Amino acid sequence: MIEKAAILGGGVIGGGWLARLIENGVEVSVYDPDPEAGRKLGEVLANAERAYGKLTLAPRPAKGAWRLAGSVAEAVEGAELIVEAVPERIDLKHRVYAELEAVNTGGIIASSTSGYKPTDLQAPLKHPGRLIVAHPFNPVYLLPLVEIVAGARTDAGVVERAKAIYAALGMKPLHIRKEIDAFIADRFLEAVWREALWLVKDGIGTTEEIDDAIRFGFGLRWAQMGLFETYRVAGGEAGMRHFIAQFGPCLQWPWTKLTDVPELTDELIDMVASQSDAQSGAHSIRELERIRDDNLVAIMQALKANDWGAGKVLAAYERQLYAAAKTAAQDFSRPFVTVETRVPAEWTDYNGHMNVSRYGQLFSDAADGAMRVIGADQDYISKGLSYFTAETHIRYLDEAHAGDAVTVTTQVLDGAGKKLKLFHQMHHADGRLLATSEEMLIHVNLGTRRACDPAPEVAARLAPIAAAHAALPLPEGAGRAVGQRP
């Protein structure tokens, strides 16, 4: 992983890169001449933090610091990765490269361009071997795909280094085999966009009706299987060969206008803009971004449960975060953090606060976090050993509402032998104690489903934590029965 990065251009894509980088602990300097850059970036980061809080419960590294730089040179000094996200004008990009090369000669230059070939971008560089295209998708802080394209003079080692960096950021680096205009994904988007404009121009459908055709139909399939795998399934048991034999002839029919470009007249622009405003103009752009992020998080979480597609990338990223937290030095002289998250809107009930079942879920997640700390993780379970919860007692002390940031800390009350007693405390970001949960777990052999002592390596990790926590005061509420008076 890198420690320091620079971003040149703080627009939508630059802001998304900033969010993903600082959420992964990278220090970032940003240069953008727009006097409103600070405000705009702050709003993007607020939405990103909200989304990340719901995307994963895995312990994330301390957030990286960021600052606005006064010049290109100031921003790129000492940067290991330089994200170029300036407007799509090659003369402007070349001027920016000349400025950065005067200060930084070693960092990877990663252009976020949507269409320029890296060979064309490399033309004026003194050190062209370090330039690649790293084309992301909006929102960059959530969508994992980044298309990596090498130019004619790009060093092979730079491509491999870039792939490792983006994978460590929780992304899916896709190395494009050959250098082409617009790469792979934008080729599809251009084709769909062109056909959609014809459908609007010819009065076949409105912008909303066309969007409905995508989001209620093939868009859901594409989100988890893509194009070719979707059509392979459509071919039935005979697979892709049958699909092509059945539907291949229609490729000769004049269904689409993909080779024709509709003229962007004022009339067509007004038609598209007015229909789009009518479709979703009731929401501000920031509100639409949050709605989009909530939907993307839900889809990625659903895919993660099936270890598929973008969810598989998220699962790998979480394993990476858990592994880093496991090896990091932790302070067990006090209760340790096992959950940090924000309350999703769908977790609230008719009273407007978090549903009681979700308190239980977070405390269950906290127990899972404690298991990872002591080494009773997925690898341990695969060996036939685990802990089962035998009893819990939850106290609901205060309200949590949609969007609230909450943290759960865990204290080991008893860690000897087969029994493990934990005490979880859930706090609001403002310091309020929201709830507590006392939990008794029993170590079991998954083969016999009977109690047994934990493996020596788990017992060895648990013992010093239990000893340190034994010196702590008994938390208020521990050992209480239902309805017991203070």
Side-chain angles (χ1 to χ4, degrees), residues 314-347:
L314 174 58
Y317 178 52
E318 288 184 333
R319 287 194 294 271
Q320 171 185 302
L321 292 175
Y322 283 130
K326 184 177 178 180
T327 57
Q330 300 189 54
D331 179 11
F332 294 120
S333 64
R334 55 186 177 179
F336 53 94
V337 175
T338 44
V339 169
E340 289 181 291
T341 192
R342 286 185 179 272
V343 178
E346 60 270 22
W347 282 18

PDB file of all heavy atoms in Angstrom, residues 314-347:
ATOM      1  N   LEU A 314     -15.696  -7.129  -2.590  1.00  0.00           N
ATOM      2  CA  LEU A 314     -15.913  -6.551  -1.269  1.00  0.00           C
ATOM      3  C   LEU A 314     -15.504  -7.529  -0.174  1.00  0.00           C
ATOM      4  O   LEU A 314     -14.864  -7.141   0.811  1.00  0.00           O
ATOM      5  CB  LEU A 314     -17.383  -6.156  -1.112  1.00  0.00           C
ATOM      6  CG  LEU A 314     -17.810  -5.653   0.271  1.00  0.00           C
ATOM      7  CD1 LEU A 314     -16.999  -4.435   0.702  1.00  0.00           C
ATOM      8  CD2 LEU A 314     -19.307  -5.335   0.279  1.00  0.00           C
ATOM      9  N   ALA A 315     -15.855  -8.813  -0.337  1.00  0.00           N
ATOM     10  CA  ALA A 315     -15.495  -9.820   0.664  1.00  0.00           C
ATOM     11  C   ALA A 315     -13.977  -9.951   0.791  1.00  0.00           C
ATOM     12  O   ALA A 315     -13.438 -10.064   1.902  1.00  0.00           O
ATOM     13  CB  ALA A 315     -16.111 -11.171   0.302  1.00  0.00           C
ATOM     14  N   ALA A 316     -13.272  -9.925  -0.343  1.00  0.00           N
ATOM     15  CA  ALA A 316     -11.811 -10.012  -0.310  1.00  0.00           C
ATOM     16  C   ALA A 316     -11.214  -8.781   0.375  1.00  0.00           C
ATOM     17  O   ALA A 316     -10.246  -8.886   1.139  1.00  0.00           O
ATOM     18  CB  ALA A 316     -11.262 -10.143  -1.731  1.00  0.00           C
ATOM     19  N   TYR A 317     -11.793  -7.625   0.113  1.00  0.00           N
ATOM     20  CA  TYR A 317     -11.333  -6.383   0.747  1.00  0.00           C
ATOM     21  C   TYR A 317     -11.544  -6.451   2.257  1.00  0.00           C
ATOM     22  O   TYR A 317     -10.664  -6.061   3.039  1.00  0.00           O
ATOM     23  CB  TYR A 317     -12.104  -5.218   0.137  1.00  0.00           C
ATOM     24  CG  TYR A 317     -11.794  -3.856   0.716  1.00  0.00           C
ATOM     25  CD1 TYR A 317     -10.490  -3.391   0.813  1.00  0.00           C
ATOM     26  CD2 TYR A 317     -12.825  -3.021   1.138  1.00  0.00           C
ATOM     27  CE1 TYR A 317     -10.210  -2.129   1.318  1.00  0.00           C
ATOM     28  CE2 TYR A 317     -12.556  -1.762   1.640  1.00  0.00           C
ATOM     29  CZ  TYR A 317     -11.259  -1.322   1.732  1.00  0.00           C
ATOM     30  OH  TYR A 317     -10.998  -0.074   2.236  1.00  0.00           O
ATOM     31  N   GLU A 318     -12.683  -6.969   2.684  1.00  0.00           N
ATOM     32  CA  GLU A 318     -12.946  -7.093   4.116  1.00  0.00           C
ATOM     33  C   GLU A 318     -11.972  -8.058   4.781  1.00  0.00           C
ATOM     34  O   GLU A 318     -11.489  -7.809   5.883  1.00  0.00           O
ATOM     35  CB  GLU A 318     -14.389  -7.552   4.349  1.00  0.00           C
ATOM     36  CG  GLU A 318     -15.422  -6.469   4.054  1.00  0.00           C
ATOM     37  CD  GLU A 318     -16.825  -6.908   4.390  1.00  0.00           C
ATOM     38  OE1 GLU A 318     -17.095  -8.130   4.358  1.00  0.00           O
ATOM     39  OE2 GLU A 318     -17.665  -6.041   4.691  1.00  0.00           O
ATOM     40  N   ARG A 319     -11.677  -9.177   4.110  1.00  0.00           N
ATOM     41  CA  ARG A 319     -10.703 -10.128   4.669  1.00  0.00           C
ATOM     42  C   ARG A 319      -9.349  -9.457   4.837  1.00  0.00           C
ATOM     43  O   ARG A 319      -8.638  -9.689   5.818  1.00  0.00           O
ATOM     44  CB  ARG A 319     -10.596 -11.365   3.775  1.00  0.00           C
ATOM     45  CG  ARG A 319     -11.794 -12.292   3.841  1.00  0.00           C
ATOM     46  CD  ARG A 319     -11.498 -13.645   3.208  1.00  0.00           C
ATOM     47  NE  ARG A 319     -11.276 -13.533   1.784  1.00  0.00           N
ATOM     48  CZ  ARG A 319     -12.228 -13.604   0.863  1.00  0.00           C
ATOM     49  NH1 ARG A 319     -13.493 -13.775   1.231  1.00  0.00           N
ATOM     50  NH2 ARG A 319     -11.947 -13.517  -0.425  1.00  0.00           N
ATOM     51  N   GLN A 320      -8.996  -8.618   3.879  1.00  0.00           N
ATOM     52  CA  GLN A 320      -7.745  -7.868   3.942  1.00  0.00           C
ATOM     53  C   GLN A 320      -7.748  -6.913   5.139  1.00  0.00           C
ATOM     54  O   GLN A 320      -6.754  -6.809   5.876  1.00  0.00           O
ATOM     55  CB  GLN A 320      -7.596  -7.090   2.645  1.00  0.00           C
ATOM     56  CG  GLN A 320      -6.478  -6.085   2.583  1.00  0.00           C
ATOM     57  CD  GLN A 320      -6.535  -5.307   1.277  1.00  0.00           C
ATOM     58  OE1 GLN A 320      -6.480  -5.889   0.197  1.00  0.00           O
ATOM     59  NE2 GLN A 320      -6.665  -3.989   1.375  1.00  0.00           N
ATOM     60  N   LEU A 321      -8.867  -6.231   5.365  1.00  0.00           N
ATOM     61  CA  LEU A 321      -8.970  -5.306   6.492  1.00  0.00           C
ATOM     62  C   LEU A 321      -8.926  -6.056   7.822  1.00  0.00           C
ATOM     63  O   LEU A 321      -8.277  -5.613   8.775  1.00  0.00           O
ATOM     64  CB  LEU A 321     -10.264  -4.501   6.390  1.00  0.00           C
ATOM     65  CG  LEU A 321     -10.352  -3.494   5.232  1.00  0.00           C
ATOM     66  CD1 LEU A 321     -11.736  -2.870   5.181  1.00  0.00           C
ATOM     67  CD2 LEU A 321      -9.289  -2.409   5.365  1.00  0.00           C
ATOM     68  N   TYR A 322      -9.633  -7.177   7.891  1.00  0.00           N
ATOM     69  CA  TYR A 322      -9.629  -7.974   9.128  1.00  0.00           C
ATOM     70  C   TYR A 322      -8.231  -8.515   9.420  1.00  0.00           C
ATOM     71  O   TYR A 322      -7.790  -8.540  10.572  1.00  0.00           O
ATOM     72  CB  TYR A 322     -10.622  -9.137   9.021  1.00  0.00           C
ATOM     73  CG  TYR A 322     -12.061  -8.740   9.195  1.00  0.00           C
ATOM     74  CD1 TYR A 322     -13.030  -9.132   8.278  1.00  0.00           C
ATOM     75  CD2 TYR A 322     -12.464  -7.981  10.299  1.00  0.00           C
ATOM     76  CE1 TYR A 322     -14.361  -8.777   8.437  1.00  0.00           C
ATOM     77  CE2 TYR A 322     -13.803  -7.622  10.458  1.00  0.00           C
ATOM     78  CZ  TYR A 322     -14.733  -8.022   9.537  1.00  0.00           C
ATOM     79  OH  TYR A 322     -16.052  -7.675   9.685  1.00  0.00           O
ATOM     80  N   ALA A 323      -7.526  -8.957   8.375  1.00  0.00           N
ATOM     81  CA  ALA A 323      -6.168  -9.480   8.569  1.00  0.00           C
ATOM     82  C   ALA A 323      -5.239  -8.388   9.079  1.00  0.00           C
ATOM     83  O   ALA A 323      -4.409  -8.623   9.959  1.00  0.00           O
ATOM     84  CB  ALA A 323      -5.640 -10.065   7.257  1.00  0.00           C
ATOM     85  N   ALA A 324      -5.380  -7.179   8.534  1.00  0.00           N
ATOM     86  CA  ALA A 324      -4.536  -6.066   8.982  1.00  0.00           C
ATOM     87  C   ALA A 324      -4.829  -5.728  10.435  1.00  0.00           C
ATOM     88  O   ALA A 324      -3.924  -5.455  11.222  1.00  0.00           O
ATOM     89  CB  ALA A 324      -4.773  -4.844   8.092  1.00  0.00           C
ATOM     90  N   ALA A 325      -6.110  -5.742  10.800  1.00  0.00           N
ATOM     91  CA  ALA A 325      -6.477  -5.441  12.184  1.00  0.00           C
ATOM     92  C   ALA A 325      -5.989  -6.527  13.138  1.00  0.00           C
ATOM     93  O   ALA A 325      -5.596  -6.253  14.279  1.00  0.00           O
ATOM     94  CB  ALA A 325      -7.993  -5.295  12.298  1.00  0.00           C
ATOM     95  N   LYS A 326      -5.978  -7.767  12.657  1.00  0.00           N
ATOM     96  CA  LYS A 326      -5.558  -8.895  13.488  1.00  0.00           C
ATOM     97  C   LYS A 326      -4.079  -8.826  13.829  1.00  0.00           C
ATOM     98  O   LYS A 326      -3.660  -9.177  14.940  1.00  0.00           O
ATOM     99  CB  LYS A 326      -5.869 -10.205  12.745  1.00  0.00           C
ATOM    100  CG  LYS A 326      -5.574 -11.474  13.529  1.00  0.00           C
ATOM    101  CD  LYS A 326      -6.000 -12.687  12.727  1.00  0.00           C
ATOM    102  CE  LYS A 326      -5.671 -13.984  13.441  1.00  0.00           C
ATOM    103  NZ  LYS A 326      -6.080 -15.167  12.648  1.00  0.00           N
ATOM    104  N   THR A 327      -3.281  -8.346  12.861  1.00  0.00           N
ATOM    105  CA  THR A 327      -1.837  -8.293  13.085  1.00  0.00           C
ATOM    106  C   THR A 327      -1.394  -6.982  13.737  1.00  0.00           C
ATOM    107  O   THR A 327      -0.274  -6.885  14.217  1.00  0.00           O
ATOM    108  CB  THR A 327      -1.090  -8.460  11.752  1.00  0.00           C
ATOM    109  OG1 THR A 327      -1.523  -7.446  10.830  1.00  0.00           O
ATOM    110  CG2 THR A 327      -1.383  -9.823  11.136  1.00  0.00           C
ATOM    111  N   ALA A 328      -2.274  -5.983  13.719  1.00  0.00           N
ATOM    112  CA  ALA A 328      -1.914  -4.696  14.312  1.00  0.00           C
ATOM    113  C   ALA A 328      -1.876  -4.798  15.830  1.00  0.00           C
ATOM    114  O   ALA A 328      -2.635  -5.550  16.448  1.00  0.00           O
ATOM    115  CB  ALA A 328      -2.916  -3.622  13.890  1.00  0.00           C
ATOM    116  N   ALA A 329      -0.984  -4.032  16.444  1.00  0.00           N
ATOM    117  CA  ALA A 329      -0.901  -4.000  17.906  1.00  0.00           C
ATOM    118  C   ALA A 329      -2.171  -3.357  18.464  1.00  0.00           C
ATOM    119  O   ALA A 329      -2.585  -2.288  18.026  1.00  0.00           O
ATOM    120  CB  ALA A 329       0.322  -3.212  18.333  1.00  0.00           C
ATOM    121  N   GLN A 330      -2.808  -4.019  19.414  1.00  0.00           N
ATOM    122  CA  GLN A 330      -4.042  -3.500  19.991  1.00  0.00           C
ATOM    123  C   GLN A 330      -3.868  -3.281  21.488  1.00  0.00           C
ATOM    124  O   GLN A 330      -3.109  -3.987  22.153  1.00  0.00           O
ATOM    125  CB  GLN A 330      -5.209  -4.464  19.733  1.00  0.00           C
ATOM    126  CG  GLN A 330      -5.483  -4.695  18.253  1.00  0.00           C
ATOM    127  CD  GLN A 330      -6.766  -5.466  18.034  1.00  0.00           C
ATOM    128  OE1 GLN A 330      -7.820  -5.083  18.522  1.00  0.00           O
ATOM    129  NE2 GLN A 330      -6.671  -6.570  17.306  1.00  0.00           N
ATOM    130  N   ASP A 331      -4.615  -2.299  21.976  1.00  0.00           N
ATOM    131  CA  ASP A 331      -4.567  -1.974  23.392  1.00  0.00           C
ATOM    132  C   ASP A 331      -5.689  -2.721  24.114  1.00  0.00           C
ATOM    133  O   ASP A 331      -6.855  -2.378  23.994  1.00  0.00           O
ATOM    134  CB  ASP A 331      -4.736  -0.461  23.568  1.00  0.00           C
ATOM    135  CG  ASP A 331      -4.710  -0.051  25.042  1.00  0.00           C
ATOM    136  OD1 ASP A 331      -4.364  -0.894  25.894  1.00  0.00           O
ATOM    137  OD2 ASP A 331      -5.064   1.114  25.330  1.00  0.00           O
ATOM    138  N   PHE A 332      -5.310  -3.769  24.846  1.00  0.00           N
ATOM    139  CA  PHE A 332      -6.302  -4.563  25.569  1.00  0.00           C
ATOM    140  C   PHE A 332      -6.375  -4.181  27.050  1.00  0.00           C
ATOM    141  O   PHE A 332      -6.922  -4.926  27.856  1.00  0.00           O
ATOM    142  CB  PHE A 332      -5.995  -6.058  25.426  1.00  0.00           C
ATOM    143  CG  PHE A 332      -6.153  -6.565  24.017  1.00  0.00           C
ATOM    144  CD1 PHE A 332      -5.078  -7.126  23.337  1.00  0.00           C
ATOM    145  CD2 PHE A 332      -7.369  -6.465  23.363  1.00  0.00           C
ATOM    146  CE1 PHE A 332      -5.214  -7.584  22.042  1.00  0.00           C
ATOM    147  CE2 PHE A 332      -7.523  -6.934  22.069  1.00  0.00           C
ATOM    148  CZ  PHE A 332      -6.441  -7.488  21.399  1.00  0.00           C
ATOM    149  N   SER A 333      -5.823  -3.021  27.365  1.00  0.00           N
ATOM    150  CA  SER A 333      -5.936  -2.561  28.748  1.00  0.00           C
ATOM    151  C   SER A 333      -7.329  -2.001  29.025  1.00  0.00           C
ATOM    152  O   SER A 333      -7.643  -1.644  30.158  1.00  0.00           O
ATOM    153  CB  SER A 333      -4.882  -1.480  29.023  1.00  0.00           C
ATOM    154  OG  SER A 333      -5.126  -0.328  28.230  1.00  0.00           O
ATOM    155  N   ARG A 334      -8.148  -1.934  27.995  1.00  0.00           N
ATOM    156  CA  ARG A 334      -9.524  -1.448  28.117  1.00  0.00           C
ATOM    157  C   ARG A 334     -10.376  -2.207  27.101  1.00  0.00           C
ATOM    158  O   ARG A 334      -9.847  -2.914  26.232  1.00  0.00           O
ATOM    159  CB  ARG A 334      -9.576   0.049  27.852  1.00  0.00           C
ATOM    160  CG  ARG A 334      -8.983   0.455  26.515  1.00  0.00           C
ATOM    161  CD  ARG A 334      -8.931   1.956  26.383  1.00  0.00           C
ATOM    162  NE  ARG A 334      -8.296   2.349  25.132  1.00  0.00           N
ATOM    163  CZ  ARG A 334      -8.142   3.610  24.759  1.00  0.00           C
ATOM    164  NH1 ARG A 334      -8.558   4.593  25.543  1.00  0.00           N
ATOM    165  NH2 ARG A 334      -7.557   3.897  23.610  1.00  0.00           N
ATOM    166  N   PRO A 335     -11.700  -2.082  27.168  1.00  0.00           N
ATOM    167  CA  PRO A 335     -12.545  -2.743  26.160  1.00  0.00           C
ATOM    168  C   PRO A 335     -12.138  -2.304  24.753  1.00  0.00           C
ATOM    169  O   PRO A 335     -11.818  -1.137  24.522  1.00  0.00           O
ATOM    170  CB  PRO A 335     -13.952  -2.256  26.526  1.00  0.00           C
ATOM    171  CG  PRO A 335     -13.885  -1.996  27.996  1.00  0.00           C
ATOM    172  CD  PRO A 335     -12.504  -1.446  28.241  1.00  0.00           C
ATOM    173  N   PHE A 336     -12.118  -3.251  23.834  1.00  0.00           N
ATOM    174  CA  PHE A 336     -11.657  -2.966  22.478  1.00  0.00           C
ATOM    175  C   PHE A 336     -12.843  -2.825  21.522  1.00  0.00           C
ATOM    176  O   PHE A 336     -13.911  -3.403  21.726  1.00  0.00           O
ATOM    177  CB  PHE A 336     -10.680  -4.043  21.990  1.00  0.00           C
ATOM    178  CG  PHE A 336     -11.194  -5.454  22.096  1.00  0.00           C
ATOM    179  CD1 PHE A 336     -11.827  -6.064  21.024  1.00  0.00           C
ATOM    180  CD2 PHE A 336     -11.012  -6.189  23.278  1.00  0.00           C
ATOM    181  CE1 PHE A 336     -12.288  -7.366  21.116  1.00  0.00           C
ATOM    182  CE2 PHE A 336     -11.472  -7.488  23.376  1.00  0.00           C
ATOM    183  CZ  PHE A 336     -12.113  -8.084  22.297  1.00  0.00           C
ATOM    184  N   VAL A 337     -12.630  -2.042  20.466  1.00  0.00           N
ATOM    185  CA  VAL A 337     -13.691  -1.776  19.494  1.00  0.00           C
ATOM    186  C   VAL A 337     -13.908  -3.001  18.611  1.00  0.00           C
ATOM    187  O   VAL A 337     -12.967  -3.545  18.037  1.00  0.00           O
ATOM    188  CB  VAL A 337     -13.334  -0.561  18.611  1.00  0.00           C
ATOM    189  CG1 VAL A 337     -14.384  -0.369  17.515  1.00  0.00           C
ATOM    190  CG2 VAL A 337     -13.222   0.697  19.467  1.00  0.00           C
ATOM    191  N   THR A 338     -15.151  -3.421  18.501  1.00  0.00           N
ATOM    192  CA  THR A 338     -15.491  -4.572  17.663  1.00  0.00           C
ATOM    193  C   THR A 338     -16.445  -4.217  16.526  1.00  0.00           C
ATOM    194  O   THR A 338     -16.565  -4.974  15.569  1.00  0.00           O
ATOM    195  CB  THR A 338     -16.115  -5.694  18.506  1.00  0.00           C
ATOM    196  OG1 THR A 338     -17.080  -5.135  19.419  1.00  0.00           O
ATOM    197  CG2 THR A 338     -15.057  -6.446  19.310  1.00  0.00           C
ATOM    198  N   VAL A 339     -17.135  -3.072  16.605  1.00  0.00           N
ATOM    199  CA  VAL A 339     -18.023  -2.628  15.528  1.00  0.00           C
ATOM    200  C   VAL A 339     -17.984  -1.111  15.447  1.00  0.00           C
ATOM    201  O   VAL A 339     -18.041  -0.426  16.479  1.00  0.00           O
ATOM    202  CB  VAL A 339     -19.489  -3.076  15.755  1.00  0.00           C
ATOM    203  CG1 VAL A 339     -20.429  -2.379  14.769  1.00  0.00           C
ATOM    204  CG2 VAL A 339     -19.631  -4.578  15.616  1.00  0.00           C
ATOM    205  N   GLU A 340     -17.886  -0.591  14.233  1.00  0.00           N
ATOM    206  CA  GLU A 340     -18.076   0.833  13.950  1.00  0.00           C
ATOM    207  C   GLU A 340     -18.939   0.934  12.704  1.00  0.00           C
ATOM    208  O   GLU A 340     -18.572   0.396  11.657  1.00  0.00           O
ATOM    209  CB  GLU A 340     -16.739   1.535  13.712  1.00  0.00           C
ATOM    210  CG  GLU A 340     -15.872   1.705  14.940  1.00  0.00           C
ATOM    211  CD  GLU A 340     -14.577   2.440  14.643  1.00  0.00           C
ATOM    212  OE1 GLU A 340     -13.728   1.862  13.942  1.00  0.00           O
ATOM    213  OE2 GLU A 340     -14.440   3.589  15.087  1.00  0.00           O
ATOM    214  N   THR A 341     -20.093   1.590  12.797  1.00  0.00           N
ATOM    215  CA  THR A 341     -20.984   1.654  11.642  1.00  0.00           C
ATOM    216  C   THR A 341     -21.936   2.821  11.775  1.00  0.00           C
ATOM    217  O   THR A 341     -21.934   3.537  12.780  1.00  0.00           O
ATOM    218  CB  THR A 341     -21.772   0.333  11.494  1.00  0.00           C
ATOM    219  OG1 THR A 341     -22.422   0.293  10.228  1.00  0.00           O
ATOM    220  CG2 THR A 341     -22.807   0.176  12.607  1.00  0.00           C
ATOM    221  N   ARG A 342     -22.755   3.005  10.746  1.00  0.00           N
ATOM    222  CA  ARG A 342     -23.851   3.970  10.778  1.00  0.00           C
ATOM    223  C   ARG A 342     -25.167   3.218  10.625  1.00  0.00           C
ATOM    224  O   ARG A 342     -25.228   2.186   9.951  1.00  0.00           O
ATOM    225  CB  ARG A 342     -23.707   5.011   9.658  1.00  0.00           C
ATOM    226  CG  ARG A 342     -22.615   6.036   9.921  1.00  0.00           C
ATOM    227  CD  ARG A 342     -22.590   7.110   8.852  1.00  0.00           C
ATOM    228  NE  ARG A 342     -21.545   8.089   9.132  1.00  0.00           N
ATOM    229  CZ  ARG A 342     -21.714   9.164   9.887  1.00  0.00           C
ATOM    230  NH1 ARG A 342     -22.911   9.405  10.420  1.00  0.00           N
ATOM    231  NH2 ARG A 342     -20.714   9.999  10.117  1.00  0.00           N
ATOM    232  N   VAL A 343     -26.210   3.741  11.223  1.00  0.00           N
ATOM    233  CA  VAL A 343     -27.504   3.082  11.199  1.00  0.00           C
ATOM    234  C   VAL A 343     -28.178   3.323   9.848  1.00  0.00           C
ATOM    235  O   VAL A 343     -28.487   4.468   9.509  1.00  0.00           O
ATOM    236  CB  VAL A 343     -28.413   3.606  12.333  1.00  0.00           C
ATOM    237  CG1 VAL A 343     -29.777   2.933  12.263  1.00  0.00           C
ATOM    238  CG2 VAL A 343     -27.756   3.382  13.689  1.00  0.00           C
ATOM    239  N   PRO A 344     -28.407   2.284   9.042  1.00  0.00           N
ATOM    240  CA  PRO A 344     -29.113   2.460   7.774  1.00  0.00           C
ATOM    241  C   PRO A 344     -30.571   2.846   8.017  1.00  0.00           C
ATOM    242  O   PRO A 344     -31.172   2.464   9.033  1.00  0.00           O
ATOM    243  CB  PRO A 344     -29.018   1.085   7.105  1.00  0.00           C
ATOM    244  CG  PRO A 344     -27.913   0.377   7.816  1.00  0.00           C
ATOM    245  CD  PRO A 344     -27.940   0.893   9.219  1.00  0.00           C
ATOM    246  N   ALA A 345     -31.146   3.573   7.090  1.00  0.00           N
ATOM    247  CA  ALA A 345     -32.537   4.007   7.231  1.00  0.00           C
ATOM    248  C   ALA A 345     -33.484   2.823   7.357  1.00  0.00           C
ATOM    249  O   ALA A 345     -34.483   2.881   8.103  1.00  0.00           O
ATOM    250  CB  ALA A 345     -32.925   4.881   6.034  1.00  0.00           C
ATOM    251  N   GLU A 346     -33.169   1.718   6.664  1.00  0.00           N
ATOM    252  CA  GLU A 346     -34.067   0.564   6.696  1.00  0.00           C
ATOM    253  C   GLU A 346     -34.026  -0.188   8.022  1.00  0.00           C
ATOM    254  O   GLU A 346     -34.806  -1.121   8.227  1.00  0.00           O
ATOM    255  CB  GLU A 346     -33.752  -0.393   5.539  1.00  0.00           C
ATOM    256  CG  GLU A 346     -32.350  -0.966   5.536  1.00  0.00           C
ATOM    257  CD  GLU A 346     -31.365  -0.113   4.766  1.00  0.00           C
ATOM    258  OE1 GLU A 346     -31.628   1.099   4.588  1.00  0.00           O
ATOM    259  OE2 GLU A 346     -30.324  -0.650   4.341  1.00  0.00           O
ATOM    260  N   TRP A 347     -33.129   0.195   8.928  1.00  0.00           N
ATOM    261  CA  TRP A 347     -33.061  -0.440  10.236  1.00  0.00           C
ATOM    262  C   TRP A 347     -34.013   0.204  11.243  1.00  0.00           C
ATOM    263  O   TRP A 347     -34.114  -0.248  12.368  1.00  0.00           O
ATOM    264  CB  TRP A 347     -31.643  -0.358  10.783  1.00  0.00           C
ATOM    265  CG  TRP A 347     -30.699  -1.365  10.186  1.00  0.00           C
ATOM    266  CD1 TRP A 347     -30.865  -2.071   9.035  1.00  0.00           C
ATOM    267  CD2 TRP A 347     -29.434  -1.770  10.721  1.00  0.00           C
ATOM    268  NE1 TRP A 347     -29.792  -2.886   8.805  1.00  0.00           N
ATOM    269  CE2 TRP A 347     -28.889  -2.722   9.831  1.00  0.00           C
ATOM    270  CE3 TRP A 347     -28.710  -1.410  11.852  1.00  0.00           C
ATOM    271  CZ2 TRP A 347     -27.664  -3.321  10.047  1.00  0.00           C
ATOM    272  CZ3 TRP A 347     -27.478  -2.015  12.059  1.00  0.00           C
ATOM    273  CH2 TRP A 347     -26.971  -2.957  11.172  1.00  0.00           C
TER     274      TRP A 347
END
